[in-house]
Amino acid sequence: MADPPMRPGRGTRFVHGGDEHDPHTGAVSTPIYQVSTFAFKSAEHGAACFAGEEEGYIYSRLDNPTIKVFEKKLAYLEGADEGLAFASGMAAIHNLICHAAHGGHVVSGNAVYGGTFALFEHLAPQLGIDVSFVDTTDPGNIERAMRPDTRLVFVETPANPTLAVTDIAAAAELAHSRGALLAVDNTFSTPYLQRPLEHGADVALHSCTKYIGGHGDAVAGAYCGPREFMNESRDWRTDIGGVISPLQCWLLLRGLKTLHLRVERSQANAMALARFLEGHPKVERVRYPGLESHPQYAVGKKQMQGPGGILSFDVAGGVEAGARLINSVRLMTVAVSLGDCATLIEHPASMTHSTMSPEAQARYGITPGLVRIAAGIEDADDLLADLDQALAKM
Ligand code: LCS
């Protein structure tokens, strides 16, 4: 869809860009087209729609007006030709690997969300897709893992929960030099802080359950990319069937309009928490791309507009100390997920990444005492006071 006449700023794009008032009614917020099937004008019209000779909605597993508006808006925000939305982030990743890597090989970052790891490690081989996990913070590891049948390089950056940052441009160059695609899971950054396609990635993927929905009330996923690839991906989605509902898309469209404000606040809170924790005697190590001590601080600066709202840290005393800390917070919510208005705190080794064996966790940097905080949009002073009183109990 057309940009507004001026060249909009980063925040304005989230409010206005990529969607338009409902073409049928002028409704300012996109209506929820809660409908499964669409009437044809005649038998001939129906046949022409199925043959792709005429534009027209057929059935909501294939396409739906509310879903279409969300997909166009996300593609606009990511700078992609097309977007496709799914029932969850995992449904999006499943569709992506089925389309992009069936019968072939994937090189994946070894720091990925635990559900992604489980899909790649346990289920993908049963679908004829072989996955190698490497530390993608060193692009040389990607190169060494590539095989003649490598079809896809998949990275999360920043990664869940280690906050490891991968150089997208370097990964893209390596993938392309061997005829593979690069997909970036951009969930942590959102298109407000990072636009992977501008750095050479082919696909930008999201768990929209997080910042895009933003209010802890929707489960959804999406990915964006070049037109021809996305048209093929649409066929995979139509037949696999992991489509999103119009109501969920409406929630995501509403979330996108305030995403820039929420991400700014979440990021400011995360920075305040990271600086506080870095100087705290009961904390061994803080992982946050906004700290100069982060091993890929320079890479993050190069490709991100900001370090984002998620951090993780090791408390002195390992797993028991981490559990005591989590049990001592009063304002923060003990819950998985991230990108919510409320600050969420969790223990990756026993929660989000419990699909990994203890050996895999140790290999991939998920230490037993690691605690993850996804900063919300509360007042920073209240969050600092909460952590302060919780750490004092240890
Ligand atoms: N990608 C990333 C980076 C994620 O963090 C998640 C979920 C997914 C994909 C999967 O998305 P979903 O199907 O849940 O929409 N991450 C979660 C987490 O850290 N806590 O709970 C879920």
Side-chain angles (χ1 to χ4, degrees), residues 87-93 112-116 154 156-161 185-188 205-210 218-221 335-338 346 351-353 372:
S88 67
M90 291 313 305
I93 297 171
V112 288
Y113 165 58
T116 307
F154 183 96
E156 252 180 41
T157 182
N160 186 356
D185 186 327
N186 200 26
T187 299
F188 273 34
L205 182 141
H206 292 274
S207 166
C208 305
T209 315
K210 311 299 182 324
V219 173
V336 296
S337 202
L338 53 101
E346 67 111 10
M351 298 177 186
T352 47
H353 292 71
R372 188 188 77 188

Side-chain angles (χ1 to χ4, degrees), residues 17-145:
D19 53 3
E20 60 190 20
H21 302 154
D22 181 52
H24 307 295
T25 62
V28 170
S29 92
T30 302
I32 306 167
Y33 283 92
Q34 190 66 39
V35 56
S36 57
T37 196
F38 299 82
F40 300 124
K41 292 176 209 138
S42 64
E44 293 72 22
H45 175 229
C49 286
F50 267 91
E53 290 156 4
E54 264 190 64
E55 290 233 340
Y57 292 99
I58 296 175
Y59 183 62
S60 282
R61 176 159 47 76
L62 281 59
D63 210 354
N64 169 286
T66 313
I67 300 175
K68 196 193 241 5
V69 173
F70 171 71
E71 291 173 340
K72 280 193 185 297
K73 179 151 187 153
L74 189 67
Y76 165 80
L77 293 169
E78 283 288 9
D81 293 342
E82 301 275 352
L84 269 182
F86 295 85
S88 67
M90 291 313 305
I93 297 171
H94 174 233
N95 204 88
L96 174 70
I97 61 165
C98 284
H99 171 203
H102 58 275
H105 176 241
V106 177
V107 176
S108 169
N110 60 18
V112 288
Y113 165 58
T116 307
F117 181 82
L119 172 65
F120 287 180
E121 172 85 345
H122 305 302
L123 298 186
Q126 298 177 48
L127 300 170
I129 301 168
D130 204 13
V131 183
S132 303
F133 296 95
V134 297
D135 175 0
T136 53
T137 61
D138 175 357
N141 290 333
I142 300 178
E143 188 164 32
R144 284 184 283 279

